[in-house]
Amino acid sequence: MQPKFLIGLLFALASSFAFALPGPVGKALYGSGWSPGSVTLVRLTGCALVLLVPTLIQLRGKWGEVRAHWRLVVAFGLFSMTGVQATYFVAVERLNVTIAILLEMTAPMMIVFWLWARTKARPSGLTFFGLAISMIGLVAVLDVGSVIGEGSGSLDALGVVMGLASAVCLAVYFMISANDSVRIPSTALTGLGFAVGAIGTVPFVALGLLPWKATTDPVALGQWSAPWFIAHSIIIVFTVAAYVLGVVGLRLMGAGVGSFVNLTEVLFAAVVAWWLLGETLASIQFVGGAAILAGVVFIKLGERPRGRSPMSKKMPGIEPRRRVKWRPTRKKNHKRKDGTPGNKTQNGDKGQSQKKVQEGNQKRPQRREVTPL
């Protein structure tokens, strides 16, 4: 593996852990009287304010890039910020949380088939093998078997649609974040996305799709009772770190592999939930986490560039071999001074060579003679 990929892997794993922490803290806020709409709007607004100064500093002299890619910035904010969270909370309202997360985590599969349809390049067998192992590991981490055994009720049609829509928005986030052709710095792109996302969440709250409810009651985080603003501060800080680290990691790794590394967020969320909320973690979930990482390795091994494919752009330093056909050089006919065509004679070649030697001697500096004392 290249050092660039390993650095991107570390950034992506740190991003997954940072993404995992706000979930249990948000669930604790729900227990104290907050609603999903209020937590989402406060989260996006606070993140936009935290990144306001760094965003303005990084965008000095680069506002032309923002104007040139304003559609991408708006799409990044609406899909990656507003879309992912709004559709996910609607799905959680109508479905079991485990099933909603499983529907959302089908985003990597969508990316694989989207790249297949767009580039007309069929993924390798290792990629499909890694895809299968990752999805099996995800099912094991979510412990879907126990959920189905206990009975989760009939699936709501709108809930399923919203879960799949959340997966589409998450796939858009991976694709936009991995686009290294955009010269907007990652932190600035994240800050602009938070601002657009906060504005885009207001209609959901106003229409009642994400109800607004807020209290000042303390929040129970494990054995510690924290003020409500401390809980929101934890969510905001780790959300900012998650998006910034995630964009950097995706630009170093690419959307395909980076999206599968993001599956480790489920394992991190289970550990954090056990730590803060006391939720138990089964041994099969640890096995599932190992299977997810193994699937990521197989997917990376399956990324071998063929010719000038788009995949080769994600693997700098590896260029396709070119076949060069050897062609013998032909001697050109030269014209003599009298204008008659024909090849040069030996005397002409000799005179030409002597002329070149004389020109070379004139260019060389003359050797200084040193007389002994």
Side-chain angles (χ1 to χ4, degrees):
M1 294 184 182
Q2 298 179 356
K4 183 178 179 180
F5 172 77
L6 294 178
I7 295 174
L9 178 61
L10 293 177
F11 275 100
L13 290 175
S15 174
S16 296
F17 175 76
F19 268 124
L21 188 59
V25 177
K27 187 176 181 179
L29 281 169
Y30 299 156
S32 65
W34 287 75
S35 65
S38 58
V39 172
T40 301
L41 187 56
V42 172
R43 179 184 186 182
L44 293 177
T45 305
C47 293
L49 293 176
V50 169
L51 289 179
L52 178 60
V53 176
T55 299
L56 293 177
I57 292 175
Q58 287 196 347
L59 288 179
R60 288 184 302 180
K62 296 184 179 179
W63 287 102
E65 248 345 272
V66 178
R67 288 191 296 268
H69 300 90
W70 68 270
R71 294 183 180 86
L72 184 140
V73 174
V74 173
F76 183 74
L78 293 180
F79 283 93
S80 304
M81 309 298 179
T82 303
V84 171
Q85 299 189 46
T87 54
Y88 170 71
F89 283 120
V90 174
V92 168
E93 183 182 2
R94 296 176 174 270
L95 298 174
N96 187 284
V97 177
T98 303
I99 298 177
I101 295 177
L102 182 59
L103 290 174
E104 184 183 20
M105 288 302 171
T106 57
M109 185 184 301
M110 295 180 180
I111 291 177
V112 170
F113 289 104
W114 165 252
L115 293 177
W116 185 3
R118 184 179 180 182
T119 62
K120 306 299 182 181
R122 181 182 178 276
S124 63
L126 286 176
T127 300
F128 281 115
F129 184 66
L131 173 65
I133 291 180
S134 296
M135 298 311 296
I136 292 174
L138 178 61
V139 173
V141 168
L142 295 174
D143 203 3
V144 178
S146 63
V147 175
I148 297 176
E150 294 174 0
S152 58
S154 60
L155 294 178
D156 184 83
L158 180 59
V160 173
V161 172
M162 289 294 103
L164 294 176
S166 179
V168 173
C169 294
L170 188 62
V172 173
Y173 160 72
F174 290 132
M175 298 298 294
I176 294 178
S177 300
N179 187 1
D180 53 1
S181 63
V182 181
R183 300 303 179 184
I184 302 176
S186 57
T187 302
L189 178 62
T190 306
L192 293 174
F194 277 127
V196 175
I199 297 173
T201 307
V202 174
F204 286 94
V205 176
L207 295 175
L209 298 176
L210 294 174
W212 175 272
K213 184 180 179 181
T215 64
T216 58
D217 297 337
V219 182
L221 298 176
Q223 303 298 326
W224 180 42
S225 180
W228 64 272
F229 58 88
I230 295 295
H232 278 289
S233 299
I234 295 174
I235 292 177
I236 291 172
V237 170
F238 278 88
T239 301
V240 170
Y243 274 98
V244 172
L245 295 174
V247 172
V248 175
L250 287 171
R251 287 187 176 183
L252 292 175
M253 300 175 60
V257 180
S259 61
F260 279 89
V261 176
N262 184 71
L263 296 178
T264 57
E265 176 189 343
V266 183
L267 179 62
F268 288 134
V271 174
V272 174
W274 167 77
W275 177 43
L276 293 180
L277 304 177
E279 297 180 357
T280 58
L281 189 66
S283 58
I284 190 174
Q285 293 175 316
F286 287 102
V287 177
I292 291 174
L293 295 178
V296 171
V297 174
F298 281 110
I299 292 170
K300 180 60 184 176
L301 294 177
E303 286 189 353
R304 289 179 296 185
R306 298 178 181 179
R308 293 185 176 274
S309 63
M311 193 66 69
S312 62
K313 299 179 181 179
K314 300 299 180 184
M315 302 178 67
I318 300 179
E319 296 293 338
R321 297 173 59 183
R322 298 180 180 179
R323 295 181 179 180
V324 180
K325 295 182 178 180
W326 178 81
R327 294 180 178 179
T329 57
R330 297 180 179 179
K331 294 182 179 180
K332 297 182 179 180
N333 294 331
H334 300 275
K335 292 184 178 181
R336 298 174 181 173
K337 293 183 179 180
D338 56 0
T340 58
N343 295 329
K344 292 184 178 181
T345 59
Q346 291 184 354
N347 295 333
D349 294 340
K350 185 176 180 180
Q352 187 72 15
S353 60
Q354 290 179 355
K355 184 177 180 181
K356 290 182 179 180
V357 171
Q358 292 177 359
E359 292 177 355
N361 293 334
Q362 291 177 359
K363 293 181 180 180
R364 294 179 183 177
Q366 296 181 357
R367 184 177 299 177
R368 297 175 58 184
E369 296 182 0
V370 180
T371 59
L373 298 177

